[in-house]
Amino acid sequence: MIPLLRENGVRFVQLARNGHLQADGFTILDDSRHPEQLIARGPWTLWDDQESVGTVPQVAGTRKCSLWAKGDVGDWWLKQVGDNQRLREEVERLRGAVRRSLGQQLDQFGAADLGTRIDELTTENQQLRTELDQARAQASQLESKLQEAEDDLAAARAGLRRMIRLESQR
């Protein structure tokens, strides 16, 4: 997405919290119409926050912790810039750019090409399923042979032990 944002001159602002409390403030990590990279970590992360209060990340449900960690930062920034109309226009322009880009990629493939590719993938999928079934059957046969060999080995060991006992008693 970064190259697409840069190519279309879309303002890309990366924000982060400075600490647990809102009073700790926020940091603008990058504010650019020509972004070069995604900044993965700021001064204070959601993990830092949850670790500081002895909780673990919520991975199911509403994920209110993510909303708190990210929503407050975005709200703070929007109050700073004060020009929400321009921001909305930029969001719409980005949506349009993404749609155009995806449209161009899809236009490269005609409906017939896509149908042919779907048929190829369906055939390949069926072949793989057949190979998987054959491999499972072969594995089952090998497991049976292995069990038989283990039984033979156990019987041979038992016979050898009996023979050794008999020889040692003579």
Side-chain angles (χ1 to χ4, degrees):
M1 287 301 295
I2 299 291
L4 186 60
L5 294 169
R6 184 175 48 247
E7 184 179 303
N8 288 282
V10 174
R11 185 177 183 184
F12 184 58
V13 181
Q14 299 181 68
L15 309 164
R17 301 179 78 89
N18 289 334
H20 174 71
L21 301 175
Q22 201 168 28
D24 294 328
F26 305 93
T27 298
I28 298 174
L29 302 170
D30 186 36
D31 184 353
S32 173
R33 290 188 184 279
H34 303 286
E36 293 295 323
Q37 67 177 1
L38 179 66
I39 300 171
R41 183 177 170 86
W44 186 261
T45 66
L46 178 57
W47 182 266
D48 295 328
D49 187 75
Q50 293 197 335
E51 195 172 59
S52 75
V53 293
T55 61
V56 294
Q58 187 177 355
V59 294
T62 309
R63 299 185 73 178
K64 293 176 184 161
C65 55
S66 295
L67 297 173
W68 168 83
K70 297 168 186 157
D72 284 354
V73 180
D75 292 344
W76 167 81
W77 183 75
L78 286 172
K79 287 177 189 170
Q80 301 302 308
V81 294
D83 188 4
N84 291 341
Q85 182 59 34
R86 229 177 72 219
L87 182 63
R88 285 190 188 103
E89 289 170 4
E90 286 187 38
V91 167
E92 283 307 312
R93 189 170 59 166
L94 175 61
R95 279 190 188 138
V98 168
R99 284 184 185 134
R100 282 189 301 279
S101 176
L102 290 173
Q104 288 171 355
Q105 290 175 14
L106 287 175
D107 287 345
Q108 291 174 359
F109 300 102
D113 294 334
L114 291 174
T116 301
R117 183 65 179 141
I118 288 171
D119 292 341
E120 289 170 1
L121 291 172
T122 302
T123 301
E124 187 177 338
N125 187 21
Q126 186 58 44
Q127 288 172 347
L128 290 171
R129 286 182 185 201
T130 302
E131 288 175 20
L132 177 62
D133 291 342
Q134 290 171 350
R136 284 182 176 155
Q138 186 179 13
S140 179
Q141 289 173 352
L142 290 172
E143 285 175 1
S144 293
K145 286 182 180 180
L146 178 61
Q147 185 61 50
E148 188 177 317
E150 286 175 348
D151 292 345
D152 289 347
L153 179 60
R157 284 181 180 159
L160 184 59
R161 281 189 204 111
R162 264 188 259 117
M163 218 168 46
I164 291 171
R165 266 190 248 126
L166 287 174
E167 283 297 316
S168 68
Q169 290 174 357
R170 283 187 193 179

